[in-house]
Amino acid sequence: MKFTRRDVIRTTAGAAAGALGSRFVGSSAFAQEGLTYKPEEGAKLRLLRWSPFVQGDEDQWLKNTKRFTEATGVEVRVDKESWEDIRPKAAVAANVGSGPDLMFVWFDDPHQYPDKLLDVTELGDYLGNKYGDWHDGPKQYATREGKFLGLPLATIGNAIVYRESWVKEAGFAEFPKDTAGFLELCKALKAKGHPAGFTHGHGVGDGNNYAHWLLWSHGGQMVDESGKVTINSPETLKAIEYAQELYKTFIPGTESWLDVNNNRAFLAGEVSVIANGISAYNTAKINKDNDPKLAEIAKDIRTTNLPIGPVGKSVELFQVTTAVIFNYTPYPNAAKAYLQFMFEDPQMTDWVTSSVGYCCQTLKAFDNNPVWKADPNNAAYAKASATLRPNGYAGPLGYASAATMADYVLVDMFAKAVTGQATPQEAMEEAEKRANRYYRV
């Protein structure tokens, strides 16, 4: 396996992972008649996935893969790449027609090369019927014109992670629930020497999550229901002006941050509040016995959902990953059998549990996994699959929405405005021009 800088902060899972079995999935979920794929003779598979932030995720996935090999005789090689490298690697494999048999891809990337992916509608329908249906948001990312391009694997939730003692030091008894109060908190934290830090760089997860929350919380949108680009609007202007004020409370350099950087800054005690998955908290919690500083941080960490803006309701992106099979694979039955095995109980139950709040289930029958109540800090991530808003909002998902996100159009708009590289109006006009390159195709 190739190791990247993400592996520096990988964490281990809780102790209860292995013994859960099927008892946490309702018995009604097992009424559907079985589906069986017979692997091709001599089949061998290669899966390329993203590098984990939570070690229990990877460990359990490999354990489940070993179970599959023992049950079928099909060997599966599991490789990994950094988050930022997954998107280009998948695009190359799809266009060249060679590479891994299966991949974990991001957001609506399957819509960029739908004709290069194996149709798994039969399997998607089977799993949905057996396990109480798919959550709608993840399903939208994985389906096109009623067909499954892949299987919605997980939603990686995003929430506010903060130091409770520093929030109180700044004069706030509790974390603000609206964007106005949040800005005042961040100003007070900066005055106390505890700046905030939110990713304005090309972080696949954190950069996109933050930028979309800024836009949507103020009522802006990239496109309307028909797919017409509407980013140049009074609502977007309000979002940019808010982002400019918030940016003044940040630690320097967030415009170059990738997904790993806010974790590092937070765990180093350099920032007081970030938006992140559960991984930052788990890293501190797992390593507290060996590091007094991390023990202090772990005890002080609290999580909550992002503040509500002028739009009046919670609107968050969250990061969805879909498991796809490339149609060039010489072993399509083996690949489908592998995914079926990994999505079935008890494998899925064990994986969600071992991910300790990092990977949120996409099949509704797994919603009652006790991991979501095992730690109060997990609660902010429990409903990520049920509440997410797809990045193509308010228009349809497809090539244009996927390409616009892959090109970081929205992320760059905010970054250029907050750093003074462009005025808010210039930033909106540039974003409008860039998005139209894709939506007018």
Side-chain angles (χ1 to χ4, degrees):
M1 291 186 177
K2 179 182 175 181
F3 287 83
T4 71
R5 60 184 178 182
R6 297 193 177 285
D7 299 304
V8 175
I9 60 170
R10 295 182 305 166
T11 60
T12 55
L20 290 175
S22 63
R23 65 183 183 275
F24 299 117
V25 179
S27 59
S28 62
F30 297 93
Q32 181 74 14
E33 186 177 329
L35 176 68
T36 302
Y37 294 104
K38 183 180 179 180
E40 296 81 0
E41 184 157 353
K44 292 184 178 181
L45 299 173
R46 179 188 167 209
L47 165 70
L48 182 60
R49 57 158 293 166
W50 31 265
S51 295
F53 270 98
V54 171
Q55 187 60 44
D57 145 35
E58 181 183 37
D59 289 348
Q60 190 60 51
W61 190 270
L62 294 176
K63 288 179 183 178
N64 288 348
T65 297
K66 183 179 179 182
R67 292 179 190 172
F68 172 76
T69 299
E70 291 171 346
T72 64
V74 177
E75 295 181 11
V76 183
R77 169 183 161 186
V78 180
D79 295 332
K80 58 187 176 181
E81 287 283 355
S82 70
W83 285 30
E84 290 82 13
D85 288 337
I86 286 294
R87 177 169 283 147
K89 293 276 185 179
V92 168
N95 291 315
V96 173
S98 66
D101 301 276
L102 308 97
M103 272 192 78
F104 294 174
V105 298
W106 295 127
F107 295 111
D108 47 356
D109 281 355
H111 293 264
Q112 294 199 81
Y113 33 78
D115 57 328
K116 308 295 185 180
L117 303 175
L118 194 68
D119 185 335
V120 290
T121 302
E122 180 186 50
L123 180 54
D125 287 342
Y126 161 79
L127 291 168
N129 289 332
K130 184 174 181 179
Y131 293 103
D133 205 357
W134 299 94
H135 282 293
D136 185 59
K139 183 179 179 180
Q140 288 183 53
Y141 281 125
T143 56
R144 182 181 178 85
E145 298 176 350
K147 296 183 178 181
F148 280 84
L149 304 175
L151 298 182
L153 178 61
T155 301
I156 299 172
N158 186 264
I160 292 289
V161 182
Y162 66 97
R163 296 285 296 271
E164 184 180 42
S165 65
W166 288 354
V167 167
K168 291 181 177 178
E169 181 185 338
F172 288 73
E174 61 180 22
F175 203 92
K177 291 181 171 56
D178 58 52
T179 50
F182 179 53
L183 176 58
E184 294 308 310
L185 168 64
C186 289
K187 290 178 179 178
L189 285 166
K190 179 70 176 290
K192 291 290 185 180
H194 306 308
F198 291 81
T199 305
H200 273 300
H202 287 185
V204 176
D206 298 333
N208 276 308
N209 286 328
Y210 180 57
H212 283 79
W213 168 75
L214 283 169
L215 180 69
W216 292 339
S217 65
H218 287 78
Q221 54 192 39
M222 181 63 71
V223 297
D224 64 15
E225 291 82 355
S226 68
K228 178 183 177 182
V229 175
T230 56
I231 190 65
N232 189 350
S233 70
E235 292 81 9
T236 300
L237 179 60
K238 291 292 185 184
I240 292 177
E241 290 172 346
Y242 178 81
Q244 288 176 311
E245 291 303 308
L246 204 55
Y247 180 73
K248 295 175 183 177
T249 72
F250 289 5
I251 189 174
T254 60
E255 61 274 11
S256 64
W257 278 9
L258 300 178
D259 288 293
V260 70
N261 295 95
N262 59 7
N263 298 62
R264 288 176 172 170
F266 186 84
L267 294 175
E270 297 170 355
V271 294
S272 56
V273 56
I274 59 175
N276 203 260
I278 196 67
S279 52
Y281 170 59
N282 280 330
T283 299
K285 184 170 66 172
I286 292 299
N287 294 289
K288 63 182 184 344
D289 292 337
N290 301 319
D291 188 330
K293 184 177 181 179
L294 287 180
E296 177 186 350
I297 292 174
K299 186 178 180 181
D300 199 30
I301 287 177
R302 298 294 182 270
T303 67
T304 189
N305 295 113
L306 272 72
I308 295 174
V311 75
K313 60 181 179 179
S314 179
V315 281
E316 298 184 50
L317 177 69
F318 302 138
Q319 190 165 1
V320 174
T321 184
T322 296
V324 300
I325 304 171
F326 292 107
N327 59 14
Y328 59 69
T329 178
Y331 308 115
N333 282 343
K336 286 188 281 189
Y338 176 58
L339 287 188
Q340 178 182 358
F341 184 86
M342 301 299 270
F343 274 81
E344 296 268 19
D345 191 71
Q347 284 77 231
M348 183 55 68
T349 293
D350 291 348
W351 185 60
V352 171
T353 305
S354 297
S355 298
V356 287
Y358 192 64
C359 295
C360 183
Q361 64 285 331
T362 53
L363 286 162
K364 294 178 181 179
F366 297 100
D367 286 353
N368 60 349
N369 191 305
V371 71
W372 302 115
K373 296 182 179 179
D375 188 310
N377 280 332
N378 292 357
Y381 304 92
K383 299 184 183 301
S385 287
T387 62
L388 71 89
R389 173 184 279 183
N391 61 274
Y393 179 86
L397 292 176
Y399 165 77
S401 63
T404 299
M405 172 176 268
D407 200 19
Y408 291 98
V409 172
L410 188 62
V411 172
D412 289 347
M413 180 190 76
F414 282 108
K416 289 186 177 182
V418 301
T419 57
Q421 298 177 61
T423 67
Q425 187 61 42
E426 290 170 343
M428 285 193 298
E429 290 174 358
E430 181 180 352
E432 181 181 36
K433 182 178 179 180
R434 289 173 63 186
N436 271 322
R437 293 174 186 167
Y438 304 111
Y439 278 94
R440 286 181 177 175
V441 171

Short mmCIF file of all heavy atoms in Angstrom, two decimals, residues 29-69:
data_model
loop_
_atom_site.label_atom_id
_atom_site.label_comp_id
_atom_site.label_asym_id
_atom_site.label_seq_id
_atom_site.Cartn_x
_atom_site.Cartn_y
_atom_site.Cartn_z
N ALA A 29 -35.73 -6.51 7.91
CA ALA A 29 -34.85 -6.21 6.79
C ALA A 29 -34.40 -7.46 6.05
O ALA A 29 -33.80 -7.37 5.00
CB ALA A 29 -33.62 -5.45 7.28
N PHE A 30 -34.68 -8.63 6.57
CA PHE A 30 -34.15 -9.85 6.00
C PHE A 30 -35.20 -10.70 5.29
O PHE A 30 -35.03 -11.88 5.09
CB PHE A 30 -33.46 -10.67 7.09
CG PHE A 30 -32.29 -9.97 7.68
CD1 PHE A 30 -32.45 -9.19 8.82
CD2 PHE A 30 -31.06 -10.02 7.08
CE1 PHE A 30 -31.37 -8.51 9.37
CE2 PHE A 30 -29.98 -9.33 7.62
CZ PHE A 30 -30.14 -8.58 8.76
N ALA A 31 -36.30 -10.05 4.92
CA ALA A 31 -37.39 -10.79 4.28
C ALA A 31 -37.15 -11.01 2.79
O ALA A 31 -37.77 -11.87 2.19
CB ALA A 31 -38.71 -10.04 4.49
N GLN A 32 -36.27 -10.23 2.18
CA GLN A 32 -36.05 -10.31 0.75
C GLN A 32 -35.33 -11.60 0.36
O GLN A 32 -34.42 -12.06 1.03
CB GLN A 32 -35.22 -9.10 0.29
CG GLN A 32 -34.93 -9.06 -1.20
CD GLN A 32 -36.16 -8.66 -1.99
OE1 GLN A 32 -37.12 -8.18 -1.42
NE2 GLN A 32 -36.13 -8.88 -3.28
N GLU A 33 -35.76 -12.18 -0.74
CA GLU A 33 -35.10 -13.38 -1.25
C GLU A 33 -33.67 -13.05 -1.65
O GLU A 33 -33.36 -11.96 -2.10
CB GLU A 33 -35.88 -13.90 -2.46
CG GLU A 33 -35.37 -15.22 -3.00
CD GLU A 33 -36.23 -15.73 -4.14
OE1 GLU A 33 -37.44 -15.43 -4.11
OE2 GLU A 33 -35.69 -16.40 -5.03
N GLY A 34 -32.78 -14.02 -1.48
CA GLY A 34 -31.36 -13.79 -1.68
C GLY A 34 -30.97 -13.56 -3.13
O GLY A 34 -31.70 -13.88 -4.06
N LEU A 35 -29.81 -12.97 -3.33
CA LEU A 35 -29.23 -12.71 -4.64
C LEU A 35 -27.82 -13.26 -4.61
O LEU A 35 -27.07 -13.02 -3.66
CB LEU A 35 -29.21 -11.21 -4.93
CG LEU A 35 -28.55 -10.76 -6.23
CD1 LEU A 35 -29.37 -11.22 -7.43
CD2 LEU A 35 -28.41 -9.24 -6.23
N THR A 36 -27.44 -14.02 -5.62
CA THR A 36 -26.13 -14.66 -5.62
C THR A 36 -25.41 -14.40 -6.94
O THR A 36 -26.00 -14.56 -8.01
CB THR A 36 -26.25 -16.18 -5.41
OG1 THR A 36 -26.93 -16.44 -4.18
CG2 THR A 36 -24.87 -16.83 -5.38
N TYR A 37 -24.14 -14.02 -6.84
CA TYR A 37 -23.28 -13.87 -8.01
C TYR A 37 -22.17 -14.92 -7.90
O TYR A 37 -21.48 -14.99 -6.88
CB TYR A 37 -22.67 -12.48 -8.08
CG TYR A 37 -23.68 -11.39 -8.30
CD1 TYR A 37 -24.09 -10.56 -7.25
CD2 TYR A 37 -24.23 -11.17 -9.55
CE1 TYR A 37 -25.02 -9.56 -7.46
CE2 TYR A 37 -25.17 -10.17 -9.78
CZ TYR A 37 -25.56 -9.37 -8.72
OH TYR A 37 -26.48 -8.38 -8.92
N LYS A 38 -21.98 -15.68 -8.94
CA LYS A 38 -20.92 -16.69 -8.95
C LYS A 38 -19.66 -16.08 -9.56
O LYS A 38 -19.64 -15.75 -10.76
CB LYS A 38 -21.35 -17.91 -9.75
CG LYS A 38 -20.31 -19.03 -9.73
CD LYS A 38 -20.79 -20.23 -10.53
CE LYS A 38 -19.73 -21.33 -10.52
NZ LYS A 38 -20.17 -22.51 -11.31
N PRO A 39 -18.59 -15.92 -8.77
CA PRO A 39 -17.36 -15.34 -9.31
C PRO A 39 -16.79 -16.17 -10.46
O PRO A 39 -16.91 -17.40 -10.48
CB PRO A 39 -16.40 -15.34 -8.10
CG PRO A 39 -17.31 -15.34 -6.91
CD PRO A 39 -18.49 -16.18 -7.32
N GLU A 40 -16.19 -15.50 -11.40
CA GLU A 40 -15.54 -16.17 -12.52
C GLU A 40 -14.36 -17.02 -12.02
O GLU A 40 -13.72 -16.68 -11.03
CB GLU A 40 -15.02 -15.13 -13.53
CG GLU A 40 -16.09 -14.30 -14.21
CD GLU A 40 -16.58 -13.14 -13.37
OE1 GLU A 40 -16.07 -12.97 -12.24
OE2 GLU A 40 -17.47 -12.39 -13.83
N GLU A 41 -14.08 -18.08 -12.70
CA GLU A 41 -12.98 -18.94 -12.29
C GLU A 41 -11.66 -18.19 -12.40
O GLU A 41 -11.38 -17.51 -13.39
CB GLU A 41 -12.94 -20.19 -13.19
CG GLU A 41 -11.88 -21.18 -12.74
CD GLU A 41 -12.18 -22.59 -13.20
OE1 GLU A 41 -13.27 -22.84 -13.75
OE2 GLU A 41 -11.30 -23.43 -13.00
N GLY A 42 -10.85 -18.29 -11.34
CA GLY A 42 -9.56 -17.61 -11.32
C GLY A 42 -9.64 -16.12 -11.06
O GLY A 42 -8.64 -15.40 -11.25
N ALA A 43 -10.80 -15.65 -10.64
CA ALA A 43 -10.98 -14.20 -10.45
C ALA A 43 -10.08 -13.65 -9.36
O ALA A 43 -9.92 -14.25 -8.28
CB ALA A 43 -12.44 -13.92 -10.12
N LYS A 44 -9.50 -12.49 -9.64
CA LYS A 44 -8.74 -11.71 -8.66
C LYS A 44 -9.16 -10.26 -8.84
O LYS A 44 -9.33 -9.79 -9.97
CB LYS A 44 -7.23 -11.85 -8.87
CG LYS A 44 -6.68 -13.24 -8.57
CD LYS A 44 -5.17 -13.26 -8.72
CE LYS A 44 -4.60 -14.64 -8.38
NZ LYS A 44 -3.12 -14.68 -8.50
N LEU A 45 -9.31 -9.55 -7.74
CA LEU A 45 -9.80 -8.17 -7.80
C LEU A 45 -8.80 -7.20 -7.18
O LEU A 45 -8.04 -7.57 -6.27
CB LEU A 45 -11.14 -8.06 -7.06
CG LEU A 45 -12.30 -8.88 -7.60
CD1 LEU A 45 -13.49 -8.79 -6.65
CD2 LEU A 45 -12.69 -8.41 -8.99
N ARG A 46 -8.85 -5.97 -7.66
CA ARG A 46 -8.08 -4.89 -7.05
C ARG A 46 -9.04 -3.74 -6.76
O ARG A 46 -9.75 -3.28 -7.66
CB ARG A 46 -6.97 -4.42 -7.98
CG ARG A 46 -6.15 -3.27 -7.38
CD ARG A 46 -5.18 -2.69 -8.37
NE ARG A 46 -4.64 -1.42 -7.90
CZ ARG A 46 -4.24 -0.42 -8.68
NH1 ARG A 46 -4.31 -0.54 -10.00
NH2 ARG A 46 -3.77 0.69 -8.17
N LEU A 47 -9.03 -3.30 -5.52
CA LEU A 47 -9.84 -2.15 -5.09
C LEU A 47 -8.91 -0.99 -4.74
O LEU A 47 -7.92 -1.18 -4.02
CB LEU A 47 -10.67 -2.51 -3.85
CG LEU A 47 -11.29 -1.35 -3.07
CD1 LEU A 47 -12.41 -0.71 -3.88
CD2 LEU A 47 -11.80 -1.81 -1.71
N LEU A 48 -9.23 0.20 -5.24
CA LEU A 48 -8.50 1.41 -4.86
C LEU A 48 -9.44 2.29 -4.05
O LEU A 48 -10.51 2.66 -4.53
CB LEU A 48 -8.00 2.15 -6.10
CG LEU A 48 -7.18 3.43 -5.82
CD1 LEU A 48 -5.93 3.12 -5.02
CD2 LEU A 48 -6.81 4.12 -7.14
N ARG A 49 -9.04 2.61 -2.86
CA ARG A 49 -9.86 3.42 -1.96
C ARG A 49 -9.05 4.61 -1.45
O ARG A 49 -7.85 4.69 -1.64
CB ARG A 49 -10.36 2.59 -0.78
CG ARG A 49 -9.24 1.92 0.04
CD ARG A 49 -9.70 1.58 1.44
NE ARG A 49 -9.97 2.79 2.21
CZ ARG A 49 -10.63 2.80 3.36
NH1 ARG A 49 -11.09 1.68 3.89
NH2 ARG A 49 -10.81 3.94 4.02
N TRP A 50 -9.74 5.53 -0.79
CA TRP A 50 -9.07 6.68 -0.19
C TRP A 50 -8.40 6.29 1.13
O TRP A 50 -8.85 5.39 1.84
CB TRP A 50 -10.05 7.82 0.05
CG TRP A 50 -11.45 7.41 0.34
CD1 TRP A 50 -12.49 7.29 -0.55
CD2 TRP A 50 -12.00 7.05 1.62
NE1 TRP A 50 -13.64 6.88 0.09
CE2 TRP A 50 -13.37 6.72 1.41
CE3 TRP A 50 -11.48 6.96 2.90
CZ2 TRP A 50 -14.20 6.31 2.45
CZ3 TRP A 50 -12.31 6.55 3.95
CH2 TRP A 50 -13.65 6.24 3.71
N SER A 51 -7.31 6.98 1.44
CA SER A 51 -6.60 6.72 2.70
C SER A 51 -7.48 7.10 3.87
O SER A 51 -8.16 8.13 3.84
CB SER A 51 -5.29 7.52 2.76
OG SER A 51 -4.41 7.08 1.75
N PRO A 52 -7.47 6.30 4.91
CA PRO A 52 -8.38 6.55 6.04
C PRO A 52 -7.88 7.61 6.99
O PRO A 52 -6.68 7.81 7.15
CB PRO A 52 -8.42 5.19 6.74
CG PRO A 52 -7.06 4.62 6.48
CD PRO A 52 -6.69 5.07 5.09
N PHE A 53 -8.80 8.28 7.62
CA PHE A 53 -8.51 9.16 8.74
C PHE A 53 -8.74 8.43 10.06
O PHE A 53 -8.28 8.87 11.11
CB PHE A 53 -9.40 10.41 8.69
CG PHE A 53 -8.80 11.54 7.91
CD1 PHE A 53 -9.15 11.76 6.59
CD2 PHE A 53 -7.88 12.40 8.49
CE1 PHE A 53 -8.63 12.81 5.87
CE2 PHE A 53 -7.33 13.45 7.78
CZ PHE A 53 -7.71 13.66 6.46
N VAL A 54 -9.51 7.37 10.03
CA VAL A 54 -9.81 6.57 11.22
C VAL A 54 -9.34 5.15 10.94
O VAL A 54 -9.84 4.49 10.02
CB VAL A 54 -11.32 6.58 11.53
CG1 VAL A 54 -11.66 5.59 12.63
CG2 VAL A 54 -11.75 7.99 11.95
N GLN A 55 -8.38 4.67 11.70
CA GLN A 55 -7.76 3.39 11.41
C GLN A 55 -8.75 2.23 11.47
O GLN A 55 -8.63 1.25 10.73
CB GLN A 55 -6.59 3.14 12.37
CG GLN A 55 -5.79 1.90 12.03
CD GLN A 55 -5.18 1.98 10.64
OE1 GLN A 55 -4.64 3.02 10.25
NE2 GLN A 55 -5.27 0.89 9.88
N GLY A 56 -9.75 2.35 12.34
CA GLY A 56 -10.71 1.27 12.46
C GLY A 56 -11.48 1.02 11.18
O GLY A 56 -11.89 -0.11 10.90
N ASP A 57 -11.70 2.07 10.39
CA ASP A 57 -12.35 1.93 9.09
C ASP A 57 -11.56 0.98 8.21
O ASP A 57 -12.08 -0.02 7.70
CB ASP A 57 -12.49 3.33 8.46
CG ASP A 57 -12.34 3.34 6.94
OD1 ASP A 57 -12.77 2.37 6.28
OD2 ASP A 57 -11.78 4.32 6.42
N GLU A 58 -10.29 1.27 8.03
CA GLU A 58 -9.46 0.44 7.16
C GLU A 58 -9.28 -0.97 7.73
O GLU A 58 -9.39 -1.97 7.00
CB GLU A 58 -8.09 1.08 6.97
CG GLU A 58 -7.18 0.28 6.05
CD GLU A 58 -5.79 0.88 5.93
OE1 GLU A 58 -5.27 1.40 6.93
OE2 GLU A 58 -5.23 0.81 4.82
N ASP A 59 -9.02 -1.07 9.03
CA ASP A 59 -8.81 -2.38 9.63
C ASP A 59 -10.00 -3.30 9.43
O ASP A 59 -9.85 -4.47 9.07
CB ASP A 59 -8.52 -2.22 11.13
CG ASP A 59 -7.16 -1.62 11.41
OD1 ASP A 59 -6.34 -1.54 10.48
OD2 ASP A 59 -6.93 -1.20 12.57
N GLN A 60 -11.21 -2.76 9.66
CA GLN A 60 -12.41 -3.60 9.52
C GLN A 60 -12.69 -3.91 8.06
O GLN A 60 -13.15 -5.01 7.74
CB GLN A 60 -13.62 -2.91 10.16
CG GLN A 60 -14.83 -3.83 10.27
CD GLN A 60 -14.55 -5.06 11.12
OE1 GLN A 60 -14.06 -4.95 12.25
NE2 GLN A 60 -14.86 -6.24 10.60
N TRP A 61 -12.43 -2.96 7.16
CA TRP A 61 -12.63 -3.24 5.75
C TRP A 61 -11.74 -4.40 5.30
O TRP A 61 -12.18 -5.29 4.55
CB TRP A 61 -12.36 -2.00 4.90
CG TRP A 61 -12.81 -2.21 3.48
CD1 TRP A 61 -12.07 -2.70 2.45
CD2 TRP A 61 -14.13 -1.99 2.95
NE1 TRP A 61 -12.83 -2.80 1.32
CE2 TRP A 61 -14.10 -2.37 1.59
CE3 TRP A 61 -15.30 -1.50 3.49
CZ2 TRP A 61 -15.22 -2.28 0.77
CZ3 TRP A 61 -16.43 -1.40 2.68
CH2 TRP A 61 -16.38 -1.79 1.34
N LEU A 62 -10.50 -4.40 5.77
CA LEU A 62 -9.59 -5.48 5.41
C LEU A 62 -10.01 -6.80 6.05
O LEU A 62 -9.89 -7.87 5.43
CB LEU A 62 -8.16 -5.12 5.83
CG LEU A 62 -7.53 -3.94 5.07
CD1 LEU A 62 -6.15 -3.62 5.63
CD2 LEU A 62 -7.44 -4.23 3.57
N LYS A 63 -10.53 -6.75 7.27
CA LYS A 63 -11.03 -7.97 7.91
C LYS A 63 -12.22 -8.53 7.13
O LYS A 63 -12.33 -9.75 6.91
CB LYS A 63 -11.44 -7.68 9.35
CG LYS A 63 -10.29 -7.44 10.31
CD LYS A 63 -10.81 -7.12 11.70
CE LYS A 63 -9.67 -6.80 12.65
NZ LYS A 63 -10.17 -6.43 14.02
N ASN A 64 -13.12 -7.64 6.74
CA ASN A 64 -14.28 -8.08 5.96
C ASN A 64 -13.86 -8.64 4.61
O ASN A 64 -14.45 -9.61 4.11
CB ASN A 64 -15.25 -6.93 5.75
CG ASN A 64 -15.99 -6.55 7.02
OD1 ASN A 64 -15.96 -7.27 8.03
ND2 ASN A 64 -16.66 -5.40 7.00
N THR A 65 -12.84 -8.03 4.01
CA THR A 65 -12.32 -8.53 2.73
C THR A 65 -11.73 -9.93 2.90
O THR A 65 -11.93 -10.80 2.04
CB THR A 65 -11.25 -7.56 2.18
OG1 THR A 65 -11.85 -6.29 1.92
CG2 THR A 65 -10.63 -8.09 0.90
N LYS A 66 -11.05 -10.14 4.00
CA LYS A 66 -10.50 -11.47 4.28
C LYS A 66 -11.63 -12.49 4.42
O LYS A 66 -11.53 -13.63 3.95
CB LYS A 66 -9.65 -11.44 5.55
CG LYS A 66 -8.98 -12.76 5.87
CD LYS A 66 -8.12 -12.65 7.12
CE LYS A 66 -7.47 -13.99 7.44
NZ LYS A 66 -6.65 -13.90 8.70
N ARG A 67 -12.73 -12.09 5.08
CA ARG A 67 -13.88 -12.98 5.19
C ARG A 67 -14.39 -13.37 3.80
O ARG A 67 -14.75 -14.52 3.55
CB ARG A 67 -15.01 -12.29 5.96
CG ARG A 67 -14.77 -12.01 7.43
CD ARG A 67 -16.02 -11.28 7.99
NE ARG A 67 -15.79 -10.76 9.32
CZ ARG A 67 -16.65 -9.97 9.97
NH1 ARG A 67 -17.77 -9.60 9.36
NH2 ARG A 67 -16.39 -9.52 11.18
N PHE A 68 -14.45 -12.38 2.90
CA PHE A 68 -14.93 -12.63 1.55
C PHE A 68 -14.03 -13.62 0.84
O PHE A 68 -14.51 -14.56 0.18
CB PHE A 68 -15.00 -11.32 0.77
CG PHE A 68 -15.30 -11.49 -0.69
CD1 PHE A 68 -16.59 -11.78 -1.11
CD2 PHE A 68 -14.30 -11.36 -1.65
CE1 PHE A 68 -16.88 -11.95 -2.47
CE2 PHE A 68 -14.57 -11.54 -3.00
CZ PHE A 68 -15.87 -11.83 -3.41
N THR A 69 -12.72 -13.43 0.95
CA THR A 69 -11.77 -14.33 0.30
C THR A 69 -11.90 -15.74 0.84
O THR A 69 -11.87 -16.72 0.09
CB THR A 69 -10.34 -13.81 0.47
OG1 THR A 69 -10.22 -12.51 -0.13
CG2 THR A 69 -9.33 -14.75 -0.16
#
